[in-house]
Amino acid sequence: MNIARDKSTGEEIEAEDLKNLTSVDSENYECIDEKCRIQLFPCSYKKHNKTRPYFKTAKGVEHAQICSFNQYTILLKKARSGNIGKNGIIPYPYPSKLVVPTKNTFKVESELPEDSMNEDSYQPRKGSQSSESTNLIKGNRTVTAIGQIVDFYLNSPFNRDAPLQLLNLQTEYRFAFKRIKGRNENQYNGRKIYFGRINLSKESVIETVSSLEVKLFEFDEWVESRANNYYSVLIEELTIHNKKRILSQLEIVKNEKLNSYGESKKNAYIFFLANPPETKVPYQFKAFESQVVCRYDEILPTQHGLRV
């Protein structure tokens, strides 16, 4: 499990944030479901650990049968290989809304037809979600970072028609993500969670006191048998904590890729919430605040004729 509740503060914490805490109290975490609350133990969070941090239960201890978050976690594992059933994911606490406290305001943008831009008009795909389950949308999880949203996207290729609100943009998972790949001929439009393969070289990250620029493996085109115009993502106004978090994630996914021993379908990716590149810097994305995560995974295509 990659999320737990801090007993002392009552706040949720993602396992990846453990590496950046000054100290970690191994007795201080529990399940986030208020109907469960079993103790969870942090693992692989020390500086020398190469694998991704996570939480686990004590040996022989299981989540309560009515623990909805554990049920969601189990469903998410099944969702990689097929549709998860007639009720789909909606009755469970999947991340359906991103809220970020910010002084910036955005205009509402639409990636869907006008009549598909609200919860009431959302129609589940036949054989996926029942009409009754759409009433539960408002009960799903509101998150303040994109990590859980990215994990749902990666693990649910059959259920990417689930509703998602990115700040004030109402859309669906299938429309909210865009892979960076190939020529920049107006293919990057609107605010989305963009993602691309990370350049694995030692010089791939340019670091300043409060910013990071991450060079990608993706590029615009071949010119005279050489890659030309590599893409990058600029992350500015970083706090010390978020800078350490992103650098830690970059190191983890790079190590996972370098130690993959020919596991060709997986790769090291960076995901970030951003607007398209500006005309004056057409190959540089600017991430929205610190909405950035890294994952080592295979990008499964969206199923049932839906686009990635």
Side-chain angles (χ1 to χ4, degrees):
M1 189 163 281
N2 59 5
I3 308 168
R5 179 179 180 271
D6 187 315
K7 294 179 184 178
S8 60
T9 65
E11 297 179 353
E12 293 180 12
I13 180 171
E14 296 194 21
E16 290 183 338
D17 287 331
L18 294 170
K19 278 184 173 287
N20 301 317
L21 297 181
T22 304
S23 62
V24 175
D25 182 352
S26 61
E27 304 289 326
N28 192 43
Y29 302 101
E30 62 186 9
C31 177
I32 66 172
D33 193 316
E34 61 182 10
K35 298 177 182 178
C36 183
R37 294 290 195 246
I38 62 168
Q39 186 164 2
L40 297 176
F41 296 92
C43 303
S44 191
Y45 60 87
K46 296 181 179 179
K47 301 300 181 183
H48 64 270
N49 293 132
K50 298 298 183 182
T51 55
R52 194 177 297 276
Y54 62 96
F55 294 100
K56 71 174 184 179
T57 62
K59 187 175 181 180
V61 177
E62 297 183 356
H63 289 266
Q65 289 187 347
I66 58 174
C67 177
S68 61
F69 191 72
N70 185 53
Q71 293 170 2
Y72 164 70
T73 303
I74 294 171
L75 274 177
L76 204 58
K77 292 178 181 179
K78 296 179 180 179
R80 284 189 77 96
S81 57
N83 195 298
I84 56 176
K86 65 179 182 180
N87 289 325
I89 201 75
I90 287 181
Y92 297 93
Y94 86 100
S96 60
K97 185 176 183 180
L98 175 70
V99 176
V100 181
T102 174
K103 61 183 179 181
N104 297 319
T105 57
F106 295 95
K107 296 179 181 178
V108 175
E109 296 180 87
S110 171
E111 296 298 336
L112 297 174
E114 186 174 350
D115 61 354
S116 301
M117 287 302 295
N118 59 71
E119 293 172 354
D120 294 333
S121 67
Y122 172 73
Q123 295 296 323
R125 193 174 58 238
K126 184 177 181 181
S128 176
Q129 295 92 2
S130 67
S131 58
E132 291 80 10
S133 67
T134 61
N135 295 326
L136 296 172
I137 292 175
K138 290 183 175 63
N140 296 132
R141 288 177 60 74
T142 296
V143 296
T144 58
I146 66 170
Q148 296 175 54
I149 293 173
V150 169
D151 291 335
F152 179 86
Y153 178 83
L154 289 171
N155 287 287
S156 304
F158 292 84
N159 293 84
R160 289 177 183 160
D161 56 351
L164 174 64
Q165 182 174 327
L166 290 176
L167 304 182
N168 59 357
L169 167 63
Q170 184 67 44
T171 183
E172 295 177 3
Y173 266 84
R174 54 177 168 155
F175 298 114
F177 286 75
K178 176 64 178 178
R179 183 169 181 172
I180 302 168
K181 189 176 183 180
R183 302 191 66 176
N184 182 5
E185 295 180 336
N186 298 317
Q187 67 161 316
Y188 307 116
N189 299 300
R191 187 177 309 111
K192 289 182 173 67
I193 297 176
Y194 292 95
F195 63 97
R197 294 171 294 177
I198 299 168
N199 188 317
L200 300 178
S201 70
K202 293 181 179 180
E203 299 79 27
S204 63
V205 179
I206 300 173
E207 181 178 351
T208 69
V209 174
S210 60
S211 72
L212 296 170
E213 183 174 7
V214 182
K215 296 181 180 179
L216 304 185
F217 186 75
E218 320 295 355
F219 55 89
D220 182 62
E221 61 181 343
W222 286 97
V223 176
E224 298 180 353
S225 300
R226 295 184 62 181
N228 189 47
N229 295 325
Y230 279 90
Y231 291 99
S232 67
V233 53
L234 178 64
I235 315 155
E236 297 180 303
E237 299 182 13
L238 285 169
T239 63
I240 295 175
H241 171 80
N242 279 321
K243 186 178 175 184
K244 288 173 62 179
R245 176 183 61 82
I246 295 170
L247 287 172
S248 174
Q249 289 192 20
L250 284 167
E251 182 181 4
I252 288 174
V253 296
K254 283 184 177 183
N255 286 332
E256 288 174 324
K257 176 59 179 177
L258 292 172
N259 296 323
S260 62
Y261 304 109
E263 195 174 32
S264 59
K265 291 185 177 181
K266 289 188 176 183
N267 223 311
Y269 291 93
I270 185 168
F271 294 78
F272 53 92
L273 181 64
N275 290 319
E278 298 175 2
T279 304
K280 60 183 179 181
V281 280
Y283 307 106
Q284 182 189 76
F285 291 84
K286 287 187 178 181
F288 175 66
E289 294 193 343
S290 58
Q291 294 295 334
V292 179
V293 295
C294 302
R295 295 290 185 264
Y296 174 69
D297 209 334
E298 176 186 359
I299 307 297
L300 298 172
T302 302
Q303 298 300 312
H304 297 304
L306 306 180
R307 66 179 179 84
V308 176

